[in-house]
Amino acid sequence: MNTRKLLALAVLLILGLAFYFGMDAYRDRTQAEQDTRIAVEGSRLVRMHTPIIGPQNAPVTIVEFFDPACEACRAFHPIVKDIMAEHGDAVRVVVRYTPFHGEVSEVAIRVLEAARMQGVFEPVMDALMREQPRWASHGGMRPDLIMQVAGEAGLDVAAAETQMRSPEVVAVLNQDRADVGAVGVRQTPTFFVNGRPLDPFGEAELRALVADEVRRAGA
């Protein structure tokens, strides 16, 4: 083999190695960027103040961006509860407030936060979802009925009147609004399962995504 052919082969080998190592570095950089993005988004999905339903240490976390006045949220409420019952201690739900329906949503959220302070978050949330047509009908919003419904579910109404106006509740509303914008949530409910967005949206898709994460966790 003459010198020219050897030189050409050497150049090709060098180019091949450069391409290989360049692609390897690109993959590492891309993975690092993805890991960073997921970590940043994950910190926006779950905050220290967010209500958690289910075991604190469950390996699978459903994050629901939730508007208590949203009809679709009401429709998905029993579905989410059924998914939790199906998977037992493997699944928890994190609730993020998304007041897209204005005043009536904000009043309901403040009442839910008061209920959380009193340790009756779940029964009050169940009651608000069950009775949503009474207070959040699109034909006539009735925020004045929210406290009545919550009181029937066990809320101390007198204490809640003060609690729902506390700086802590204002801070929760402000943080959740900021995270809704940062994550890009535009409709409710919006779900993430262990950081994975539910896309496409649907009951079957949510069940499948949760089941997949439960399998991954070996739970």
Side-chain angles (χ1 to χ4, degrees):
M1 187 177 295
N2 59 38
T3 303
R4 183 174 295 177
K5 288 183 178 179
L6 286 172
L7 182 59
L9 285 173
V11 169
L12 287 173
L13 179 61
I14 291 169
L15 289 174
L17 289 171
F19 176 79
Y20 173 80
F21 287 113
M23 286 298 296
D24 196 47
Y26 173 77
R27 284 193 298 269
D28 289 344
R29 184 171 67 254
T30 301
Q31 185 62 51
E33 290 171 354
Q34 289 175 343
D35 291 344
T36 300
R37 177 179 55 78
I38 289 169
V40 170
E41 289 181 354
S43 70
R44 290 172 176 151
L45 294 177
V46 182
R47 297 286 185 178
M48 291 293 292
H49 67 261
T50 49
I52 295 175
I53 302 171
Q56 292 284 328
N57 61 347
V60 177
T61 298
I62 302 172
V63 176
E64 178 181 0
F65 283 86
F66 161 86
D67 184 335
C70 161
E71 291 179 356
C73 292
R74 179 175 185 261
F76 265 83
H77 185 65
I79 293 168
V80 171
K81 294 189 72 171
D82 186 58
I83 290 172
M84 293 183 69
E86 178 183 354
H87 295 289
D89 291 342
V91 175
R92 65 177 187 164
V93 174
V94 169
V95 178
R96 302 303 307 274
Y97 299 126
T98 315
F100 284 169
H101 287 77
E103 179 193 1
V104 71
S105 297
E106 183 166 326
V107 171
I109 289 167
R110 287 176 179 270
V111 169
L112 283 169
E113 278 299 288
R116 184 156 69 102
M117 292 176 183
Q118 296 181 22
V120 290
F121 180 85
E122 289 187 56
V124 169
M125 184 173 181
D126 288 344
L128 289 180
M129 291 296 93
R130 183 178 62 252
E131 302 296 331
Q132 188 196 78
R134 288 175 57 193
W135 59 268
S137 168
H138 292 302
M141 297 293 189
R142 292 288 306 274
D144 56 301
L145 291 179
I146 294 172
M147 193 70 84
Q148 178 184 329
V149 171
E152 292 167 357
L155 183 74
D156 181 336
V157 172
E161 291 284 0
T162 300
Q163 291 168 329
M164 63 192 290
R165 293 191 297 271
S166 68
E168 292 83 1
V169 172
V170 173
V172 167
L173 275 162
N174 289 341
Q175 183 64 72
D176 280 16
R177 283 195 184 97
D179 288 338
V180 164
V183 175
V185 173
R186 291 180 172 81
Q187 63 183 23
T188 54
T190 291
F191 293 100
F192 293 82
V193 181
N194 279 2
R196 297 168 62 188
L198 178 64
D199 186 20
F201 180 85
E203 176 184 347
E205 289 80 3
L206 179 59
R207 290 182 181 276
L209 183 56
V210 173
D212 185 50
E213 286 298 320
V214 170
R215 283 193 296 271
R216 289 186 179 198

